[in-house]
């Protein structure tokens, strides 16, 4: 027993040593194979994925069309896909099991094979968690059978642990790869989506402003000649959209873009805003650019076919020169210049115009001017000139119109219609009117103190008619007046604003203010609205009065206005009386009041006091 045992011990020890040595080799070769395999699968799939991605990008770039979107699979298609994944994985698992049954090395190969299968399937699955589960399930189940094979094959517990560890390692590697792949996929999809949004209009799928800017830059750096951007404004856009509906309008725009593009050798047409398309092209000079723009316009003379109907569309084109815009890069981009040119063309009632910097003026200066206005009230730059209103029957001055005057230290005397319009557009008109009204009330007291009782008229912007708060303030100020106050409101302001304007005017009248309809006849309004306006006075626009003594048509119109106003119970004022003959004619027509250079120009308060004083003391000077 003893010698037998002593023989056996070294041989067992040798076997154990050999086994241990074998284990090291097995472990290291298993790890090596797994690493190489994971690396190889990972790299090859990453490569395949990258190539596909860039191919798609290239195709999109050259075809210049919409980028595809990853669409969710339909439910049934999804089920078939999962079943296929499961079957695929199960087939490989079975094959792996077969290999495993043939020995310990077979077990290693099976593990590697399975993990490869899983990697393949998951990467192909597009990052679906369910697909990963379908692919993982068969090999995970198969792993439970592994220890049995190993032990049967003469392996021991260490072998079992080695095999299971290799499988787990492989599994974790697969899951890690899946995660990396998912992140790549997501960020790539997001990047593509961002890229798409940045370059394309979401409604029509047409390239957008950014794309046009890019194209302009490309042309500017490569082409010889004048690089021009054309903004194509769809005329009466809102009206048309209201008439045909939003969705058909989008269709119409896409069709229009196609029409314009094909008229221009397939140049891409972009969408710049809801009602504007645009494109960039190269011309020899601006004359040729106008000629090419006319071709574009010609392309829409034929109506567009929308579903079953023909739709007539006309466009106005604004051109802007890239080189010109670059010189003034700080103030306006080339694209904005083209868009402004569309407006300039429309205002000039033309079909095509190039950007006119002089016409556009200097909005930066406008803004700074408005910020200066508040200071102008206090530092004496802003003053008021009063223009007398003459009573044709009594020959007396019965009122005066307060007209704002701004003597700017750098820009000289600013035209009131200019800064009044700016104030209206920038929301400063309330400030200006309040200042004028306070001054008018103060000056009326001064006139009163000098012995003159005049009705003072203040020009009232239409923008103020729907400002209830402002009306409250104005009424508060008017309460302190020393005599009659009159508000001159243009007819267009009242008509454009019928509901609230009426209420405001009624409130003002109820408080004792006189309402005068200014610039009567200058708008294109119908006479019918007159009966609905709560007013006391009608002021005939100077355009009809200036030449009424020589132009019989003007005279007829003034006569008609006088009789219309009287029959509506309104007092009539004629402004712009420059000639004695006109004044005489107005007297004969029965006009009540006259205002104009013949009587007096707008003058400062002290001059007005002097003027009124002269008239009172010297009856000869009172005769106009
Ligand atoms: P408006 O209310 O029609 O004022 C009459 C304009 O005609 C004044 O020009 C006046 O100087 C001018 N005018 C008066 N008589 C004659 C004449 O016999 N011949 C000619 N050719 N012109 C005459 P102004 O002062 O340049 O004012 C222009 C416009 O600016 C005014 O037109 C008014 O709409 C606006 N405006 C002036 N001051 C104010 C103000 O304080 N507030 C508001 N909202 N608008 C004002
Ligand atoms: Ca006026
Ligand atoms: Ca007027």
């Amino acid at each position: 027993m003893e010698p037998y045992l002593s023989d056996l011990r070294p041989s067992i020890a040798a076997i154990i040593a050999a086994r241990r040595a074998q284990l090291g080799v097995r472990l290291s070769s298993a790890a090596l194979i797994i690493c190489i395999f994971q690396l190889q699968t990972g790299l090859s799939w990453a490569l395949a994925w990258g190539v596909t991605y860039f191919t798609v990008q290239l195709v999109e770039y050259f075809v210049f069309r919409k980028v595809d979107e990853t669409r969710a699979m339909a439910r049934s298609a999804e089920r078939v896909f999962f079943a296929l994944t499961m079957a695929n994985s199960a087939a490989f698992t079975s094959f792996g099991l077969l290999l495993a049954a043939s020995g310990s090395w077979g077990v290693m190969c099976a593990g590697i094979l399975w993990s490869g299968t899983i990697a393949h399937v998951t990467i192909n699955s597009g990052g679906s968690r369910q697909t990963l589960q379908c692919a993982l399930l068969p090999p995970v189940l198969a792993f439970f059978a592994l220890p049995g094979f190993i032990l049967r094959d003469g392996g021991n517990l260490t072998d079992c642990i080695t095999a299971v560890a290799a499988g787990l390692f492989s599994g974790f590697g697969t899951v890690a790869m899946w995660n990396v792949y998912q992140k790549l996929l997501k960020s790539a999809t997001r990047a593509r989506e961002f890229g798409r949004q940045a370059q394309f209009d979401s409604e029509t799928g047409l390239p957008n402003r950014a794309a046009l800017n890019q194209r302009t830059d490309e042309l500017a750096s490569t082409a010889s000649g004048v690089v021009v951007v054309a903004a194509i404004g769809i005329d009466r856009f809102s009206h048309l959209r209201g008439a045909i509906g939003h969705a058909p309008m989008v269709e119409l725009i896409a069709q229009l873009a196609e029409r314009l593009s094909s008229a221009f050798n397939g140049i891409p047409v972009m969408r710049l805003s809801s009602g504007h398309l645009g494109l960039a092209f190269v011309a020899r000079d601006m004359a040729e650019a106008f000629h090419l723009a006319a071709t574009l316009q010609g392309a829409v003379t034929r109506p567009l076919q929308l579903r079953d109907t023909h739709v007539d569309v006309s466009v106005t084109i604004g051109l802007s020169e890239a080189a010109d815009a670059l010189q003034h890069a700080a103030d306006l981009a080339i694209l904005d210049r083209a868009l402004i040119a569309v407006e300039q063309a429309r205002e000039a009632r033309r079909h095509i115009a190039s950007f006119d910097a002089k016409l556009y003026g200097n909005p930066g200066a406008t803004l700074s001017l408005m910020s200066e206005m508040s200071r102008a009230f206090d530092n004496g730059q802003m003053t008021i000139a009063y223009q007398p209103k003459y009573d044709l029957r009594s020959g007396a001055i019965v009122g005066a119109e307060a007209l704002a005057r701004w003597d700017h230290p750098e820009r000289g005397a600013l035209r009131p219609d200019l800064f009044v319009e700016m104030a209206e557009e920038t929301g400063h008109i309330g400030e200006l009117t309040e200042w004028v009204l306070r001054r008018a009330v103060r000056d009326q007291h001064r006139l009163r103190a000098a012995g003159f009782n005049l009705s003072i008229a203040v020009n009232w912007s239409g923008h103020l008619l729907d400002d209830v708060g402002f009306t409250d303030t104005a009424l508060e100020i008017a309460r302190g007046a020393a005599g009659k106050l009159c508000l001159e409101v243009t007819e267009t302001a009242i008509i454009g604003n019928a509901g609230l304007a009426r209420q405001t005017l009624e409130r003002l009248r109820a408080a004792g203010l006189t309402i005068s309809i200014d610039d009567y006849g200058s708008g294109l309004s119908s006479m019918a609205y007159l009966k609905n306006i709560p007013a006391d006075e009608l002021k005939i626009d100077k355009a009809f009065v200036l030449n009424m003594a020589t132009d019989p048509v003007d005279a007829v119109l003034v006569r008609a206005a006088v009789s219309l106003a009287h029959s509506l119970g309104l007092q009539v004022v004629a402004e712009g009386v420059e000639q004695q003959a006109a004044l005489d004619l107005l007297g004969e027509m029965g006009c009540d009041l006259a205002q104009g250079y013949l009587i007096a120009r707008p003058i400062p308060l002290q001059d007005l006091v002097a003027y009124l004083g002269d008239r009172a003391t010297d009856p000869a000077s009172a005769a106009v």
Side-chain angles (χ1 to χ4, degrees):
M1 192 71 183
E2 263 298 304
Y4 177 72
L5 267 179
S6 63
D7 279 353
L8 202 62
R9 243 178 243 131
S11 59
I12 289 174
I15 289 168
I16 290 171
R19 282 257 175 205
R20 271 201 198 119
Q22 234 182 355
L23 180 70
V25 173
R26 274 190 204 170
L27 272 178
S28 50
S29 14
L32 191 70
I33 292 172
I34 289 164
C35 288
I36 292 173
F37 192 88
Q38 290 289 8
L39 208 67
Q40 180 259 328
T41 348
L43 280 178
S44 55
W45 280 110
L47 195 70
W49 180 80
V51 168
T52 317
Y53 178 70
F54 283 111
T55 313
V56 171
Q57 293 278 295
L58 278 177
V59 169
E60 278 162 5
Y61 180 78
F62 284 115
V63 179
F64 217 71
R65 278 284 161 256
K66 288 188 215 178
V67 177
D68 68 329
E69 279 149 38
T70 327
R71 289 206 182 82
M73 270 189 288
R75 207 79 209 127
S76 53
E78 206 174 28
R79 274 195 218 106
V80 170
F81 181 71
F82 290 152
L84 280 175
T85 309
M86 184 82 97
N88 182 31
S89 177
F92 275 90
T93 305
S94 317
F95 185 51
L97 282 175
L98 266 177
L99 274 178
S102 63
S104 301
W105 280 107
V107 172
M108 289 305 157
C109 294
I112 293 162
L113 194 69
W114 294 332
S115 58
T117 311
I118 295 162
H120 171 103
V121 169
T122 49
I123 286 174
N124 267 347
S125 72
S128 148
R129 199 170 286 278
Q130 285 98 321
T131 319
L132 179 78
Q133 285 159 1
C134 289
L136 272 180
L137 206 60
V140 165
L141 290 176
F143 268 115
F144 289 118
L146 274 186
F149 286 121
I150 294 169
L151 292 174
R152 191 214 59 194
D153 206 36
N156 58 15
L157 206 60
T158 322
D159 293 334
C160 295
I161 293 168
T162 315
V164 172
L168 285 176
F169 185 69
S170 210
F172 282 128
T174 306
V175 173
M177 256 171 66
W178 184 76
N179 271 326
V180 170
Y181 170 74
Q182 262 218 349
K183 286 206 176 87
L184 270 174
L185 185 83
K186 269 191 194 143
S187 70
T189 314
R190 213 177 301 138
R192 276 149 59 101
E193 189 52 30
F194 279 153
R196 200 181 83 79
Q197 279 170 4
Q199 294 271 327
F200 290 88
D201 169 53
S202 57
E203 272 186 335
T204 51
L206 291 169
N208 63 10
R209 287 174 76 107
L212 182 54
N213 276 329
Q214 195 181 334
R215 184 168 154 81
T216 313
D217 289 347
E218 280 165 14
L219 287 178
S221 62
T222 55
S224 59
V226 186
V227 177
V228 181
V229 165
I232 301 150
I234 302 167
D235 295 336
R236 296 162 59 247
F237 175 76
S238 324
H239 183 87
L240 197 61
R241 188 172 53 187
I244 68 173
H246 185 82
M249 193 66 203
V250 171
E251 229 174 279
L252 192 83
I253 292 167
Q255 222 185 93
L256 179 64
E258 210 173 296
R259 174 83 70 83
L260 293 169
S261 172
S262 52
F264 220 107
N265 302 328
I267 279 185
V269 172
M270 289 80 169
R271 192 174 188 202
L272 307 185
S273 72
S274 41
H276 293 89
L277 295 171
L279 49 85
F281 61 93
V282 181
R284 270 195 308 277
D285 47 28
M286 278 313 273
E288 199 197 30
F290 267 83
H291 182 72
L292 292 170
T295 324
L296 280 176
Q297 209 154 34
V300 289
T301 42
R302 232 171 348 107
L304 291 163
Q305 178 77 34
L306 189 67
R307 295 169 196 179
D308 300 332
T309 353
H310 292 294
V311 182
D312 269 317
V313 176
S314 67
V315 294
T316 303
I317 300 178
L319 302 176
S320 156
E321 207 182 319
D324 202 24
L326 272 178
Q327 272 178 7
H328 305 92
D331 38 290
L332 266 186
I334 178 166
L335 238 166
D336 296 320
R337 288 168 160 250
L339 287 166
I340 293 165
V342 173
E343 294 315 311
Q344 291 180 336
R346 281 180 180 154
E347 254 165 50
R349 293 180 195 280
R350 281 158 56 196
H351 297 299
I352 306 168
S354 62
F355 176 74
D356 185 338
K358 272 196 238 77
L359 258 183
Y360 182 59
N362 187 348
T366 305
L367 270 182
S368 75
L369 198 64
M370 284 301 107
S371 72
E372 283 175 60
M373 197 168 76
S374 325
R375 274 174 277 139
F377 296 138
D378 304 323
N379 62 16
Q381 285 176 24
M382 189 81 79
T383 55
I384 291 184
Y386 290 97
Q387 187 174 34
K389 282 187 181 174
Y390 172 81
D391 186 320
L392 279 156
R393 267 178 287 274
S394 69
I397 300 297
V398 291
E401 178 180 1
L403 293 157
R405 293 287 176 264
W406 185 352
D407 194 10
H408 193 275
E410 282 123 41
R411 301 171 62 170
L414 295 170
R415 276 187 18 246
D417 26 15
L418 176 100
F419 65 80
V420 165
E421 197 184 312
M422 279 185 194
E424 283 177 338
E425 275 159 17
T426 55
H428 288 80
I429 189 65
E431 211 184 329
L432 173 70
T433 310
E434 189 181 327
W435 182 83
V436 174
L437 186 64
R438 284 189 195 281
R439 276 292 162 116
V441 168
R442 189 197 73 179
D443 292 346
Q444 197 179 36
H445 277 283
R446 293 185 176 173
L447 283 167
R448 189 80 188 243
F452 307 108
N453 187 11
L454 258 58
S455 159
I456 304 288
V458 171
N459 288 287
W460 215 251
S461 162
H463 292 249
L464 299 171
L465 288 177
D466 50 9
D467 187 340
V468 178
F470 186 81
T471 310
D472 293 342
T473 314
L475 286 175
E476 186 61 42
I477 301 168
R479 224 166 276 150
K484 275 224 153 296
L485 283 181
C486 170
L487 305 184
E488 297 191 2
V489 190
T490 58
E491 54 170 349
T492 37
I494 308 170
I495 302 158
N497 209 338
L500 197 55
R502 232 186 103 85
Q503 283 175 26
T504 307
L505 293 178
E506 262 157 11
R507 260 189 86 195
L508 292 165
R509 265 186 104 200
L513 291 137
T514 315
I515 306 298
S516 176
I517 301 170
D518 203 355
D519 298 346
Y520 178 71
S522 65
L524 294 166
S525 42
S526 97
M527 275 186 217
Y529 77 94
L530 271 183
K531 72 175 200 293
N532 294 318
I533 298 179
D536 307 275
E537 186 180 278
L538 191 79
K539 215 169 163 182
I540 304 170
D541 193 67
K542 56 179 173 286
F544 303 99
V545 181
L546 285 170
N547 302 315
M548 63 178 283
T550 48
D551 187 332
V553 177
D554 281 349
V556 166
L557 290 171
V558 172
R559 190 183 295 278
V562 170
S563 91
L564 174 76
H566 282 164
S567 54
L568 288 168
L570 302 170
Q571 169 170 262
V572 191
V573 186
E575 65 173 17
V577 181
E578 292 187 354
Q579 295 157 0
Q580 186 63 48
L583 191 74
D584 296 343
L585 205 55
L586 285 164
E588 180 220 303
M589 287 173 183
C591 179
D592 306 293
L593 303 177
Q595 206 185 1
Y597 294 169
L598 178 74
I599 300 143
R601 285 185 177 252
I603 43 179
L605 181 73
Q606 61 269 34
D607 293 4
L608 179 68
V609 173
Y611 169 82
L612 293 171
D614 286 352
R615 288 177 65 94
T617 51
D618 178 10
S621 70
V624 180

